[in-house]
Amino acid sequence: MTREIILPSLSAGMESGTLSRWLKAEGEAVQQGDIIAEIETDKATMELEAAASGILGGIIATSGADVPVGTVLGLIFPDQAEYERHEVKQVPPSPHRDIPTLAAKEGNDRASTKPVSTVSPTALPTNEKRIAASPLARRVAQTNGIELATLQGSGPRGRIVRIDVDRAINAKNNANIAVPESQPLQELATETTIEGERIPHSSMRKAIARRLTEAKATIPHFYLRTDCNIDEMLALRNQINASGLTEKISVNDLMIKALAYALAKTPGTNVMWTEDAMIVLPRVDISVAVAIEGGLMTPIIRNADKKSLSTISTEVRELAAKARTGKLTPAEYQGGSASISNLGMYGVSEFSAIINPPQSLIMAIGVAERRPVYQGMELVGATCVSCTLSVDHRAIDGALAGEFLKTFKNALEQPMTLLV
């Protein structure tokens, strides 16, 4: 039986992917489980396996093509004879996706074509048949009296998503605000009038922009900041590294362990907010922000509160290397209890990070620097670091967040607690 090669959803929330390259050629024999193509998602480059054995053919998508989830990329024929009896046909695009479909040729008779899109035009209002939009975008637009036909979609293949509707709502509200004649509006620069090199957005850049915009717009952030004296922590790190019993431990490894320790000691902060209920997480999994070319990845240290510093250090190095080469699997970056972002190596004194939904916390770490501090009545020098906690106020109140930050600070200033 001929099998369709359909682009699956390779990660949570994936709507489309870029076909990086085919690893098997048209007419080539493949075995079930063979890697036949590489798909670039907004997070990583994933491998696509053959679902059956046979002859690869009917390839529609070419290398570099951006294709929605559910698209038929090609076919796997059971044998050479069946492959030779079929051909690829291009048909007019469906009302909702410009996706080519396939037709089979049996002798001199041609089978009728069937659109790949599973969306029925009759399921939509007549005046919206040719408008591609997410269900949430349609609902918000209808609630606020926004015509989808007037919007420019920023989603995959021009699909209208929630942020496009939100922009229209803001524009509609701003249009009702009167501007004094003494303050004439300046003509805004458009894309065509701005000079400079134009670099198309990658799938990752679009995903980062979408998620951070939604996070900042929908999550009520509040921020807590504290300064930590890490002289004892640095002394402990030097002692561990000098022992030769393990590979070198970094300051960031200790920060990850301290964050996990604080979450375990204040379980009320190890939660996620949903519209229906608060989810109390059964494990402490720490997402670690890793800068990569063109964006950011957050691989996860699972059960970080129960792991040794040496294990955390090894996993961070391995996951960071996979992140920079685009080899992370969804299981290695999806989920997480809370995130940590360290910009200290760039000389940043302090900063406030944006929460990574659906998490409720993110810790921002600044540079370690010598500062004057009081020890009793005496002013002395100490190595200090500024730590800023961003909190989702829907899930965690100020007092609980303060208790969490105090526990985190104590763990850094009394680091032996992290070893017992």
Side-chain angles (χ1 to χ4, degrees):
M1 182 180 69
T2 300
R3 297 283 295 270
E4 292 180 333
I5 303 170
I6 298 176
L7 178 63
S9 178
L10 299 171
S11 61
M14 175 179 167
E15 294 185 342
S16 67
T18 300
L19 178 62
S20 296
R21 59 172 177 155
W22 285 99
L23 301 179
K24 300 289 185 178
E26 174 88 19
E28 186 175 348
V30 299
Q31 298 296 319
Q32 183 176 359
D34 283 355
I35 306 301
I36 58 176
E38 291 182 347
I39 307 295
E40 179 187 348
T41 71
D42 57 358
K43 296 291 187 182
T45 299
M46 314 292 288
E47 296 176 336
L48 184 63
E49 296 184 358
S53 299
I55 306 299
L56 175 64
I59 291 178
I60 296 174
T62 58
S63 297
D66 186 19
V67 289
V69 169
T71 299
V72 176
L73 305 177
L75 298 172
I76 296 179
F77 300 97
D79 51 45
Q80 186 69 27
E82 190 72 16
Y83 167 66
E84 293 175 354
R85 284 200 300 267
H86 286 71
E87 67 178 1
V88 176
K89 296 293 292 180
Q90 297 289 336
V91 299
S94 72
H96 309 289
R97 285 181 178 172
D98 185 15
I99 305 173
T101 58
L102 305 173
K105 183 176 71 175
E106 303 289 348
N108 295 325
D109 297 329
R110 296 182 181 272
S112 61
T113 58
K114 180 181 179 182
V116 175
S117 173
T118 59
V119 182
S120 172
T122 58
L124 302 174
T126 303
N127 63 343
E128 293 184 5
K129 282 186 178 181
R130 295 187 177 274
I131 300 175
S134 69
L136 178 58
R138 291 184 185 279
R139 185 166 65 251
V140 175
Q142 183 177 13
T143 302
N144 292 274
I146 301 297
E147 291 290 337
L148 292 178
T150 65
L151 304 184
Q152 180 72 34
S154 62
R157 305 179 72 86
R159 188 172 187 237
I160 296 172
V161 293
R162 168 67 183 272
I163 191 173
D164 301 319
V165 180
D166 289 340
R167 290 193 187 111
I169 295 171
N170 292 335
K172 180 180 178 182
N173 293 337
N174 292 337
N176 297 325
I177 301 175
V179 179
E181 293 184 2
S182 59
Q183 299 179 4
L185 291 173
Q186 293 182 343
E187 183 178 353
L188 296 177
T190 63
E191 289 188 11
T192 57
T193 62
I194 300 175
E195 296 183 357
E197 180 186 2
R198 302 180 67 80
I199 302 175
H201 297 308
S202 65
S203 299
M204 177 180 292
R205 197 75 253 167
K206 290 177 181 178
I208 291 173
R210 181 178 69 251
R211 285 180 58 82
L212 293 185
T213 299
E214 292 175 356
K216 194 65 174 178
T218 60
I219 297 176
H221 289 59
F222 74 93
Y223 309 93
L224 302 179
R225 177 186 173 279
T226 190
D227 292 327
C228 303
N229 181 339
I230 62 170
D231 278 335
E232 287 192 26
M233 187 187 81
L234 294 177
L236 176 63
R237 170 178 173 264
N238 291 338
Q239 185 178 354
I240 293 173
N241 290 341
S243 69
L245 298 176
T246 180
E247 294 190 37
K248 301 296 185 182
I249 302 296
S250 71
V251 171
N252 203 50
D253 298 331
L254 286 154
M255 296 284 184
I256 293 169
K257 181 67 174 179
L259 183 63
Y261 173 84
L263 280 168
K265 291 297 182 180
T266 54
T269 61
N270 194 30
V271 297
M272 288 183 178
W273 169 271
T274 71
E275 295 301 325
D276 298 323
M278 190 84 74
I279 301 176
V280 180
L281 302 175
R283 303 185 313 186
V284 176
D285 300 333
I286 303 300
S287 301
V288 183
V290 176
I292 64 175
E293 183 178 356
L296 185 75
M297 290 292 293
T298 52
I300 299 171
I301 307 299
R302 307 286 181 184
N303 292 308
D305 60 317
K306 294 180 171 61
K307 289 180 176 175
S308 66
L309 283 170
S310 60
T311 300
I312 290 174
S313 179
T314 299
E315 289 190 12
V316 168
R317 282 195 298 272
E318 292 176 351
L319 290 171
K322 294 179 71 173
R324 295 187 178 102
T325 56
K327 298 301 182 182
L328 284 177
T329 65
E332 291 171 325
Y333 62 76
Q334 289 181 357
S337 302
S339 296
I340 185 167
S341 180
N342 190 341
L343 294 180
M345 65 285 293
Y346 301 106
V348 176
S349 296
E350 62 178 275
F351 67 103
S352 300
I354 299 176
I355 294 170
N356 182 22
Q359 298 175 7
S360 299
L361 296 172
I362 183 169
M363 181 69 76
I365 308 296
V367 66
E369 55 189 1
R370 297 293 291 180
R371 301 176 191 170
V373 298
Y374 275 101
Q375 288 185 356
M377 298 298 293
E378 184 180 359
L379 189 64
V380 299
T383 306
C384 296
V385 62
S386 295
C387 304
T388 305
L389 182 68
S390 303
V391 188
D392 183 347
H393 214 328
R394 299 172 302 177
I396 302 172
D397 292 326
L400 181 56
E403 180 184 351
F404 170 89
L405 191 58
K406 180 181 178 180
T407 304
F408 176 79
K409 175 183 173 72
N410 289 341
L412 293 186
E413 296 186 339
Q414 303 172 34
M416 289 302 294
T417 59
L418 302 177
L419 303 182
V420 297

